[in-house]
Amino acid sequence: MMEWKRSAFDWNQARAFLVTAEEGSLSAAARALGLTQPTLSRQVAGLEEALGVTLFERTSRALLLTQSGVELLAHFRTMGDAANSISVAATGQSQAVTGHVLISATDLMATHFLPPFLKKLRETAPDLQIEIIASNELSDLRRREADIAIRHARPKDENLFAKRLRDTTAHLFASKQYLDEVGRPKTLADLEGLKFVGFDQPELRLGLMASRGLNLTTANFNFSTSSATLTLELVRQGFGIGILPIEIGEVYPELENPCLAFEPISIETWLVAHRELKTNLRIRLVFDLLAEGIGSKH
């Protein structure tokens, strides 16, 4: 039987500790929660008194977790997740969730992977306003250029929260029209005399191709672009061979893999958000639905 009296501390105090630990300072946590710094400090001190432990070492330069704080933080994160789940369930994941969420993704990901997710999001939270940045340039989440980003590399910034999604596999694709004109290659060496499209800076990708036994030069690339959607269209219209995610390339019956001997390329996919994800209901809702829609890596 649960000992209820042992858990008689204030949830607001628990949240104050959790957000302070996640944000790294009282001032940042106060801004995230919309409180004054003295109020937040009192809440954290009240939790320490209720639990009988010191959670932070307060120095002139930083706020550091004590060993007790580190050990308890995982439990409070679980409480925070549960509180968010309760909030979502209480509103039916629905019309009570309002506001603006900015999502950043590559143009190809935004065009081909996001629309099915957006349909589900519209049904779940119709009052949300979603803005999408379709760009291959990284949005700076620390500067709030986006709330959530879909990236193909794990972020190094410890202030960002990242969840790995299922990997994408990329293959060579070319139009049947182009291969009818130049002939279908039988070996990797045969590919070296053909034209390729894509790659913002082809010279940066030649090493990757060489590692798979395909020795190309910049002369193989008559057309290059930073836009993956334009790359797809150039491949479809017969300008040459391109590298595309298999889920996209196989959608178009006019495309085929020109050489099965080429080793496929595995591309990581990460869902990234600022640590505010833990305390912002609308961002957490969109983040969780994105993870479910695109698929987490197990």
Side-chain angles (χ1 to χ4, degrees):
M1 184 174 180
M2 186 169 181
E3 297 183 43
W4 297 106
K5 291 183 179 180
R6 294 185 63 181
S7 59
F9 55 83
D10 190 322
W11 160 243
N12 286 324
Q13 295 175 345
R15 185 180 64 164
F17 163 66
L18 174 61
V19 179
T20 301
E22 296 285 4
E23 294 291 333
S25 71
L26 287 169
S27 58
R31 287 194 298 271
L33 291 173
L35 300 174
T36 64
Q37 188 169 327
T39 297
L40 189 68
S41 182
R42 285 194 298 271
Q43 290 181 345
V44 173
L47 180 64
E48 290 178 318
E49 182 178 354
L51 296 177
V53 297
T54 300
L55 299 171
F56 291 108
E57 293 180 6
R58 294 161 175 82
T59 69
S60 59
R61 292 186 176 183
L63 198 63
L64 304 175
L65 283 168
T66 63
Q67 185 60 38
S68 295
V70 171
E71 293 174 357
L72 291 174
L73 181 57
H75 298 290
F76 281 104
R77 281 174 173 157
T78 301
M79 287 184 63
D81 289 341
N84 281 331
S85 297
I86 290 169
S87 296
V88 171
T91 59
Q93 291 189 342
S94 66
Q95 301 168 12
V97 183
T98 62
H100 180 269
V101 178
L102 186 57
I103 302 171
S104 172
T106 63
D107 57 350
L108 201 63
M109 176 69 72
T111 302
H112 292 271
F113 288 90
L114 285 189
F117 152 78
L118 295 175
K119 287 184 179 180
K120 183 171 184 179
L121 181 61
R122 183 175 59 186
E123 296 170 356
T124 303
D127 291 334
L128 275 180
Q129 296 174 323
I130 304 298
E131 182 180 351
I132 299 168
I133 301 174
S135 171
N136 296 327
E137 295 185 4
L138 292 181
S139 295
D140 190 339
L141 300 184
R142 292 292 302 276
R143 296 184 178 180
R144 310 319 300 268
E145 292 178 353
D147 297 309
I148 299 172
I150 304 172
R151 297 180 176 176
H152 295 298
R154 183 173 190 170
K156 297 179 180 179
D157 191 333
E158 295 182 354
N159 290 301
L160 300 179
F161 179 83
K163 183 181 183 67
R164 189 171 181 178
L165 306 181
R166 60 182 173 85
D167 293 347
T168 299
T169 301
H171 292 254
L172 296 180
F173 283 94
S175 72
K176 295 176 181 177
Q177 171 195 345
Y178 177 71
L179 296 176
D180 287 342
E181 293 173 357
V182 301
R184 283 166 172 75
K186 295 182 173 60
T187 66
L188 290 174
D190 293 338
L191 284 171
E192 295 169 6
L194 303 183
K195 295 300 182 183
F196 285 72
V197 299
F199 298 144
D200 187 15
Q201 296 176 292
E203 61 273 12
L204 300 180
R205 308 292 190 268
L206 298 181
L208 173 65
M209 308 298 275
S211 70
R212 285 164 165 72
L214 183 55
N215 297 305
L216 303 177
T217 70
T218 54
N220 289 100
F221 297 87
N222 278 1
F223 298 93
S224 58
T225 173
S226 61
S227 169
T229 52
L230 178 55
T231 297
L232 170 61
E233 193 59 29
L234 291 174
V235 172
R236 291 181 64 199
Q237 294 193 27
F239 284 86
I241 300 169
I243 294 180
L244 300 169
I246 187 172
E247 298 97 328
I248 294 175
E250 291 187 342
V251 167
Y252 298 93
E254 67 270 28
L255 300 182
E256 65 179 69
N257 187 334
C259 185
L260 296 177
F262 182 80
E263 181 185 348
I265 300 171
S266 181
I267 303 173
E268 294 183 4
T269 304
W270 291 84
L271 194 58
V272 187
H274 191 270
R275 288 288 180 179
E276 184 184 337
L277 165 75
K278 293 290 186 179
T279 56
N280 188 306
L281 178 60
R282 67 178 181 275
I283 295 177
R284 185 60 193 242
L285 173 62
V286 174
F287 188 97
D288 288 344
L289 285 176
L290 269 171
E292 178 185 345
I294 298 175
S296 301
K297 181 179 177 67
H298 298 289

